Amino acid sequence: MTAVDLPLPPLPGRATPTDPPTTATAHPFLVRRPTRQIHVGPVPVGGGARITVQTMTTTLTADVDATLQQIAEVTAAGCDIIRVAVPSQDDADALPRIVERSPIPVIADIHFQPRYVFQAIDAGCAAVRVNPGNIKKFDDRIADISAAATAAGVPIRIGVNAGSLDPRLLAKHGKATPEALVESALWECSLFEEHGFQELKIAVKHHDPLTVIAAYRQLSQQCAYPLHLGVTEAGTALQGSIKSAVAFGILLSEGIGDTIRVSLSTSPVEQVKAGCHILSSLGLRPRKLEIVSCPGCGRLQVDIHKLATQVEAAFDGFPHPLRVAVMGCVVNGPGEAREADIGVSSGNGKGQIFVQGRTVRTVPESRIVEALLEEALKLTDTTDADETDHAASQGRAP
């Protein structure tokens, strides 16, 4: 077989899906691409299910306590599914203890050694991610993997990365083009399909957002499998978040994507927060805390950057969804603050505090953060009490 003759067998079920599209409830103009649905443990992925946020632990998987601690931290940040690396036998041996104690489904990330796929399935992992480009003789093991995954009810994610693309496809396409990434993914899907296995999820990742967008657009037209979105090696917190937001925003607005990971050179917690913010900005996840703050100009009479950072830190982990406006002058400040749940318009060493459009008090600049927290607690306590009273009047538990 030459590099340019890599055959693709017939692809069953590959026509563009004709099922009615699924409309997102928050924004009717966002129409979800119809897909098959798989279950990663108890979490549905695809088929109209809500879009999930994933990340990957950075601990040594063999260090069970450290890994579980990090899983707890990302779960608190809003992570739905966690992936752990399994590069060694010690890591594979640790999987049963991690799976047993993890609060969210665990995906085993397998490279190089196919035997770890079977250990991950036996350990009770909710899914297994495989990278066909760097697993030894992977195609020769698909029959056995399909049988084991079918017996255990475990889905497989085919994760194609630009950095580890099959050499035959690199030779055929010249580099990791969108076409090469898609061809690799669908080739592997076809091998699983030959054994009747279709509990698959696909990712085709590249460091360039435009390549990612093109690849997922092509893939969405050629299969009905759920898709995991990712810009791989995206970079630092700022650069990587922007790359991911651009790619995900475009794709999700076109209905493409069923689960996401924001890959950043930072902590997994920050990756999860970035993913949740991207989804909430599109109305695809309930809003939690949203800080509305002005960018700053020559009219400012307060250090708005410092104040906004202090407010964000003070409200970190606040248990209720709130829009908090932090404004620095009288031009747009009062109006923007009135549009928020709570807000402040600052100037002349003071802060005018707004709650649901009403001015409630004016405080010294040094007490703005404290005052905002106090008013937020009053507001949410009142809301909780109203909901309790309403539930009681309806004869049901709140």
Side-chain angles (χ1 to χ4, degrees), residues 47-346:
R50 77 168 190 144
I51 296 170
T52 54
V53 174
Q54 301 186 25
T55 190
M56 192 170 182
T57 55
T58 58
T59 57
L60 290 174
T61 303
D63 188 339
V64 173
D65 290 339
T67 300
L68 287 169
Q69 175 61 37
Q70 197 168 77
I71 292 175
E73 292 168 358
V74 299
T75 302
C79 188
D80 301 298
I81 299 169
I82 189 67
R83 183 154 47 105
V84 300
V86 188
S88 74
Q89 187 61 55
D90 288 342
D91 299 316
D93 292 341
L95 288 175
R97 288 173 289 163
I98 293 171
V99 168
E100 181 182 13
R101 295 165 59 188
S102 174
I104 55 178
V106 175
I107 297 178
D109 190 73
I110 310 297
H111 297 264
F112 306 117
Q113 293 293 341
R115 70 175 184 274
Y116 298 147
V117 174
F118 301 100
Q119 278 197 254
I121 292 172
D122 290 342
C125 287
V128 177
R129 183 266 178 144
V130 294
N131 186 341
N134 62 19
I135 294 182
K136 296 177 180 178
K137 298 183 178 179
F138 177 75
D139 292 356
D140 296 339
R141 304 301 303 274
I142 287 181
D144 294 335
I145 292 173
S146 297
T150 297
V154 173
I156 302 291
R157 171 153 83 85
I158 296 174
V160 177
N161 272 16
S164 54
L165 197 62
D166 189 302
R168 296 171 295 177
L169 289 171
L170 282 176
K172 176 180 178 180
H173 293 275
K175 60 180 181 178
T177 63
E179 293 74 17
L181 296 172
V182 170
E183 184 173 343
S184 175
L186 294 182
W187 163 257
E188 298 301 336
C189 285
S190 72
L191 299 182
F192 279 97
E193 290 163 350
E194 286 179 353
H195 300 284
F197 188 85
Q198 292 187 313
E199 296 301 294
L200 300 169
K201 179 173 61 175
I202 309 176
V204 284
K205 295 187 178 183
H206 197 284
H207 66 271
D208 173 45
L210 295 178
T211 302
V212 169
I213 293 166
Y216 279 99
R217 280 174 172 167
Q218 291 181 29
L219 193 56
S220 71
Q221 294 297 313
Q222 298 183 55
C223 74
Y225 291 116
L227 303 181
H228 171 78
L229 302 186
V231 179
T232 192
E233 295 109 25
T236 57
L238 175 61
Q239 179 173 280
S241 294
I242 291 172
K243 282 184 176 182
S244 297
V246 167
F248 296 177
I250 290 172
L251 291 169
L252 291 170
S253 70
E254 296 176 3
I256 299 169
D258 301 284
T259 179
I260 67 172
R261 181 198 177 190
V262 181
S263 299
L264 306 174
S265 297
T266 185
S267 75
V269 169
E270 295 306 311
Q271 297 177 24
V272 170
K273 288 181 178 179
C276 291
H277 278 301
I278 291 171
L279 293 182
S280 63
S281 70
L282 292 167
L284 294 169
R285 178 164 287 220
R287 176 171 56 90
K288 292 186 179 179
L289 176 67
E290 180 183 358
I291 302 293
V292 179
S293 59
C294 59
C297 69
R299 294 188 299 267
L300 289 181
Q301 296 177 332
V302 66
D303 186 342
I304 195 67
H305 306 135
K306 178 180 178 182
L307 179 59
T309 300
Q310 290 173 336
V311 171
E312 185 175 43
F315 278 85
D316 186 39
F318 197 78
H320 299 275
L322 283 177
R323 177 178 287 112
V324 183
V326 183
M327 311 305 295
C329 79
V330 297
V331 175
N332 295 316
E336 292 288 351
R338 281 194 295 267
E339 290 293 317
D341 297 305
I342 62 172
V344 60
S345 178
S346 308

Side-chain angles (χ1 to χ4, degrees), residues 19-25 28-35 45-52 252-259 284:
D19 296 336
T22 303
T23 303
T25 55
F29 59 82
L30 289 178
V31 179
R32 297 282 299 281
R33 159 186 172 266
T35 70
V45 176
R50 77 168 190 144
I51 296 170
T52 54
L252 291 170
S253 70
E254 296 176 3
I256 299 169
D258 301 284
T259 179
L284 294 169

